[in-house]
Amino acid sequence: MQPERLRTLADGIFAIALTLLVLELPVPLHSTDLGHDLLPQWPFYAAYVVSFVTLGIVWMNYHALLDGVGTVDRALVELNLLLLLFVAVVPWPTGLLAEYLREPDGQSSAAAITYGAVMTAMSGTFTLIWIRLARARDLLHPRARTRLRGALRRSAVGPAAYAASTVIAVFNATTAFVLFAAVAVYFALSARRRPTEPAPG
Amino acid sequence: MQPERLRTLADGIFAIALTLLVLELPVPLHSTDLGHDLLPQWPFYAAYVVSFVTLGIVWMNYHALLDGVGTVDRALVELNLLLLLFVAVVPWPTGLLAEYLREPDGQSSAAAITYGAVMTAMSGTFTLIWIRLARARDLLHPRARTRLRGALRRSAVGPAAYAASTVIAVFNATTAFVLFAAVAVYFALSARRRPTEPAPG
Amino acid sequence: MQPERLRTLADGIFAIALTLLVLELPVPLHSTDLGHDLLPQWPFYAAYVVSFVTLGIVWMNYHALLDGVGTVDRALVELNLLLLLFVAVVPWPTGLLAEYLREPDGQSSAAAITYGAVMTAMSGTFTLIWIRLARARDLLHPRARTRLRGALRRSAVGPAAYAASTVIAVFNATTAFVLFAAVAVYFALSARRRPTEPAPG
Amino acid sequence: MQPERLRTLADGIFAIALTLLVLELPVPLHSTDLGHDLLPQWPFYAAYVVSFVTLGIVWMNYHALLDGVGTVDRALVELNLLLLLFVAVVPWPTGLLAEYLREPDGQSSAAAITYGAVMTAMSGTFTLIWIRLARARDLLHPRARTRLRGALRRSAVGPAAYAASTVIAVFNATTAFVLFAAVAVYFALSARRRPTEPAPG
């Protein structure tokens, strides 16, 4: 199987997950003061933006990863499907977090922990893919092999940051949510500082 | 990253946003006179058509833009993801506007303002992309550089028209809705008057 | 714009419309005899299959059409978007028809008329595309021009058959539904009798 | 029609079906103890994972099949659309099974039989495609013809295993669900033991 095949399925799943997020946005029913009823829904808008930005960055990093891959074996395909399983599931914890962010601690924490657990699993799978590539270097383009060590190290920042935020979610959901947003911003900025690496080949 | 990558994700998101619009169309439940109950839902049909046509035109303009782009840098990718964030969100204000268009002024205005704000943000991001290209002309194909000034000027018409319609929505939602439809028709016609520009390359 | 661009968006919209049909299939809630409660939902299963087969055939014919097209102009793109507008809307009348097929005549007729009207509009737009190509033959590959007359004639069968079925829906919804299914089967079989035409170029 | 066309539609439908599965995951409403209310939803999480893994494997096998196909005729396209009809429907029995897995025998059996019937039909259509290819060998690449017999035999394992699990679902839904999961794991592992077959070409 060629990497191009994986990209097509992945692009489809990213595009759909990004768009399904909007189904979580509620249309108030039987509102008699709509202007007033739209504002308290801010956790839904904020959660939409944070999840969209996060998935957008994962999408960029995913293609940057595949740019370096020359051939894929079955184990790599399966790890990719595992990544896509978590990508596809993101709308669910997004809706859960938006629904319960302003509820008392017991509820909001459970929602934020769930959100953080999915994000930790998603970014952790990303690291697993890099580990797999480090063990099967012949799947990589020669030029990509020299950058492997740095990419592997950087890819470990995501699951670590999400795991830490998830622990904080046990105590305070709002703080955890701010951290989820901060992780997305950090990745957007840190990627910018690096020069754009041309795709080998 | 190559423009082709962006096109694939964008095509996916446009296709899904265009299709998710249909989920806003209500199936009347337990109707005892269906023929009679389908007609009062006309705001949903009208909003479906206006949003579909609008997104269809944005899709055409988006590919016309990318036709002129030779390479993309990280800032351009991020602006594109911002555009897609607003594209993906369109089904939500569409449903909101359809639900509240025939309600008293307080509600219908809030819905039309929300719709207009999303459209202003979407078309404004389009202008931002052109501004970015004007500052980084080397991302463009040589032939596209000569047309940059006109494209930039034309791209400012959208956010201006949507912002004006949104201001009018404060006073009357139905007038604003007619204007949203008129903007779509204007863009469809104005694009037709220009000869089809062949993709450079 | 190249035909390939249209194919990508169209494939996306067809794929999503085909898959969104499944959202119309109801999961019975709080059923105490599920085996018994699943059977009366047969209009939903039947409507799912008929709409899926119909859209599948339109998808095949759509690509057969584009196989003959060398370049597209703006008018052709707009007609294509109109076709896709009706393709994307199909899940809605499908759900409507399934919901009301076994209701008294007043309701079931209204639902079947709506279904038939969407199908007539969809297949009618297909004919409009062929008429446009007949008036702008230079958009076609040379080989496709010789087959234009036959294709145009065949494409008129669809809207005629759907319009007739819609008229019958005024009197009896179930008969109309059987006709909608028969049209799909007829197209599947009639296409088979023609030898597969290789794509020019 | 070229196989590439089918792949695009199929990738779209697989991507959407895989992502729509998430719409079955419920967000508890008005929960006063969310952490406690999320756990009893485990059949939804388990059904999500099993259906995602199953569809992921079918997607891999589907492309492995198309790798060997040189040209497609109308009958093959129609069999492919039939396969995609069952792929697109998977989210529905998944939600049904998740909803009723912990209900009394009458309900859970009906849900598991429905799930098994869809899976049997889906994998049975896969076998039908191989049978069709065995009867029209000239559609295959020369290299793929030598592997036809083995592929056909392996493809019969799926419907047989699903049919047997569906029979067991008559007696016990939970056992059947474990078997559905086991079939997915078996296919994932058995595919791994075979060396990756390069695409002919």
Side-chain angles (χ1 to χ4, degrees):
Chain A
M1 188 176 274
Q2 291 173 314
E4 209 48 46
R5 205 72 272 145
L6 267 179
R7 287 186 198 257
T8 317
L9 186 77
D11 279 349
I13 287 181
F14 273 102
I16 300 153
L18 286 165
T19 324
L20 284 191
L21 288 170
V22 80
L23 295 184
E24 306 297 335
L25 295 177
V27 171
L29 291 177
H30 313 302
S31 166
T32 54
D33 187 354
L34 185 61
H36 190 265
D37 289 351
L38 284 174
L39 294 181
Q41 298 188 353
W42 65 263
F44 286 91
Y45 315 140
Y48 174 80
V49 170
V50 169
S51 287
F52 195 101
V53 170
T54 303
L55 285 184
I57 290 164
V58 173
W59 174 79
M60 284 194 277
N61 291 343
Y62 181 72
H63 281 296
L65 184 155
L66 281 189
D67 280 344
V69 171
T71 44
V72 293
D73 61 1
R74 189 87 179 196
L76 197 59
V77 172
E78 285 175 10
L79 280 174
N80 273 275
L81 287 176
L82 188 65
L83 176 68
L84 294 177
L85 185 149
F86 292 120
V87 167
V89 99
V90 163
W92 178 69
T94 303
L96 199 69
L97 185 54
E99 187 76 40
Y100 286 97
L101 188 60
R102 291 170 316 154
E103 297 291 312
D105 272 10
Q107 271 78 276
S108 60
S109 273
I113 291 168
T114 307
Y115 188 92
V118 168
M119 292 299 176
T120 307
M122 179 175 71
S123 54
T125 307
F126 214 96
T127 309
L128 281 180
I129 293 176
W130 278 114
I131 290 174
R132 168 71 194 159
L133 288 171
R135 293 196 181 169
R137 282 157 183 265
D138 48 321
L139 297 176
L140 286 170
H141 287 295
R143 260 207 290 176
R145 281 172 212 164
T146 63
R147 293 198 298 262
L148 182 65
R149 188 184 282 261
L152 182 53
R153 206 183 322 110
R154 278 197 306 275
S155 82
V157 175
Y162 278 122
S165 309
T166 308
V167 169
I168 284 162
V170 176
F171 305 103
N172 189 288
T174 310
T175 309
F177 181 62
V178 171
L179 286 173
F180 296 142
V183 172
V185 171
Y186 166 77
F187 273 111
L189 295 183
S190 75
R192 260 199 193 193
R193 271 179 300 153
R194 290 201 307 280
T196 315
E197 300 163 9
Chain B
M1 189 176 273
Q2 291 173 314
E4 210 46 47
R5 203 75 271 145
L6 267 178
R7 286 186 199 257
T8 317
L9 186 76
D11 278 349
I13 286 181
F14 273 100
I16 300 152
L18 285 165
T19 324
L20 283 191
L21 289 170
V22 80
L23 295 184
E24 307 296 335
L25 295 177
V27 171
L29 291 176
H30 312 302
S31 165
T32 54
D33 187 353
L34 185 61
H36 189 265
D37 289 350
L38 283 174
L39 294 182
Q41 298 189 353
W42 65 263
F44 286 91
Y45 315 140
Y48 174 81
V49 170
V50 170
S51 287
F52 195 101
V53 170
T54 304
L55 285 183
I57 290 165
V58 173
W59 174 79
M60 284 193 276
N61 291 342
Y62 181 72
H63 280 297
L65 184 155
L66 282 189
D67 280 344
V69 172
T71 44
V72 293
D73 62 0
R74 189 86 180 198
L76 197 60
V77 172
E78 284 175 11
L79 280 174
N80 273 275
L81 287 175
L82 188 65
L83 176 69
L84 295 176
L85 184 150
F86 292 120
V87 167
V89 97
V90 163
W92 178 69
T94 303
L96 199 68
L97 185 53
E99 187 77 39
Y100 285 97
L101 188 61
R102 292 169 317 152
E103 296 292 312
D105 271 10
Q107 271 77 275
S108 60
S109 273
I113 291 168
T114 307
Y115 188 93
V118 167
M119 291 300 175
T120 308
M122 180 174 71
S123 54
T125 307
F126 213 96
T127 309
L128 281 180
I129 293 176
W130 278 114
I131 290 174
R132 167 73 195 158
L133 287 172
R135 293 195 180 169
R137 281 157 184 267
D138 48 322
L139 297 176
L140 286 170
H141 287 295
R143 262 206 288 175
R145 281 171 213 166
T146 63
R147 293 197 299 263
L148 182 64
R149 189 183 282 262
L152 182 52
R153 204 182 325 110
R154 277 196 306 275
S155 82
V157 176
Y162 278 122
S165 310
T166 308
V167 169
I168 284 162
V170 176
F171 305 103
N172 189 288
T174 310
T175 309
F177 181 62
V178 171
L179 286 172
F180 296 143
V183 172
V185 171
Y186 166 78
F187 274 111
L189 295 183
S190 75
R192 262 201 192 191
R193 272 179 301 154
R194 290 202 308 280
T196 315
E197 301 162 9
Chain C
M1 187 176 274
Q2 292 174 314
E4 209 45 49
R5 202 75 272 144
L6 267 178
R7 287 186 199 258
T8 317
L9 186 76
D11 279 349
I13 286 180
F14 273 102
I16 299 153
L18 285 165
T19 324
L20 283 191
L21 288 170
V22 80
L23 295 185
E24 307 297 335
L25 296 177
V27 171
L29 292 177
H30 312 302
S31 166
T32 53
D33 187 354
L34 185 61
H36 190 264
D37 288 351
L38 284 173
L39 294 181
Q41 298 189 351
W42 65 263
F44 286 91
Y45 315 140
Y48 174 81
V49 170
V50 170
S51 287
F52 195 102
V53 169
T54 303
L55 285 183
I57 289 164
V58 174
W59 174 79
M60 284 194 276
N61 291 343
Y62 182 72
H63 281 297
L65 184 156
L66 281 189
D67 280 345
V69 173
T71 44
V72 293
D73 62 0
R74 189 86 178 200
L76 198 60
V77 172
E78 284 175 12
L79 280 174
N80 273 275
L81 287 175
L82 189 65
L83 176 69
L84 295 177
L85 185 150
F86 293 119
V87 167
V89 97
V90 163
W92 178 69
T94 303
L96 199 68
L97 186 55
E99 187 77 39
Y100 285 97
L101 188 60
R102 292 170 315 153
E103 298 291 312
D105 270 9
Q107 271 76 276
S108 60
S109 274
I113 291 168
T114 307
Y115 188 94
V118 168
M119 292 300 175
T120 307
M122 179 174 72
S123 53
T125 307
F126 214 97
T127 309
L128 280 181
I129 293 176
W130 278 114
I131 290 174
R132 167 74 194 156
L133 287 172
R135 294 197 180 169
R137 281 158 185 266
D138 48 322
L139 297 176
L140 286 170
H141 287 295
R143 260 207 288 174
R145 283 172 211 165
T146 63
R147 293 198 297 261
L148 182 63
R149 189 184 282 263
L152 182 52
R153 204 181 327 109
R154 277 197 305 276
S155 82
V157 176
Y162 278 122
S165 309
T166 307
V167 170
I168 284 163
V170 176
F171 305 103
N172 189 289
T174 311
T175 310
F177 182 63
V178 171
L179 286 173
F180 296 142
V183 173
V185 170
Y186 166 77
F187 274 111
L189 295 183
S190 75
R192 262 199 192 192
R193 271 178 300 153
R194 291 202 307 281
T196 314
E197 301 162 9
Chain D
M1 186 176 273
Q2 291 174 315
E4 209 47 46
R5 202 74 273 143
L6 267 179
R7 287 186 197 257
T8 317
L9 187 76
D11 279 348
I13 287 180
F14 273 103
I16 300 153
L18 285 165
T19 324
L20 283 190
L21 288 170
V22 80
L23 295 184
E24 307 297 336
L25 296 177
V27 171
L29 291 176
H30 313 301
S31 166
T32 54
D33 188 355
L34 185 61
H36 190 265
D37 288 351
L38 284 173
L39 293 181
Q41 297 188 352
W42 66 262
F44 286 91
Y45 316 139
Y48 174 80
V49 170
V50 169
S51 287
F52 195 101
V53 169
T54 303
L55 285 183
I57 290 164
V58 173
W59 174 79
M60 284 193 277
N61 291 343
Y62 182 71
H63 281 297
L65 183 155
L66 281 190
D67 280 344
V69 173
T71 43
V72 292
D73 62 1
R74 189 87 178 197
L76 198 59
V77 172
E78 284 175 10
L79 280 174
N80 273 275
L81 286 175
L82 189 65
L83 176 68
L84 295 176
L85 186 149
F86 292 120
V87 167
V89 98
V90 163
W92 178 69
T94 304
L96 199 69
L97 185 54
E99 188 76 39
Y100 286 96
L101 188 59
R102 291 169 316 153
E103 298 291 312
D105 271 9
Q107 271 77 275
S108 60
S109 274
I113 290 168
T114 307
Y115 189 92
V118 168
M119 292 299 176
T120 307
M122 179 174 72
S123 55
T125 307
F126 214 97
T127 309
L128 281 181
I129 292 176
W130 277 115
I131 289 173
R132 168 73 194 158
L133 287 171
R135 293 195 180 168
R137 281 158 184 265
D138 48 323
L139 297 176
L140 286 170
H141 287 296
R143 259 207 288 175
R145 283 173 211 163
T146 62
R147 293 198 299 261
L148 181 65
R149 188 184 282 263
L152 182 53
R153 205 182 325 108
R154 277 196 306 275
S155 82
V157 176
Y162 278 122
S165 309
T166 308
V167 169
I168 284 162
V170 176
F171 305 102
N172 189 289
T174 310
T175 310
F177 182 63
V178 171
L179 286 173
F180 296 142
V183 173
V185 171
Y186 165 77
F187 274 111
L189 296 183
S190 76
R192 261 200 193 192
R193 270 179 300 152
R194 291 203 306 282
T196 315
E197 300 163 10

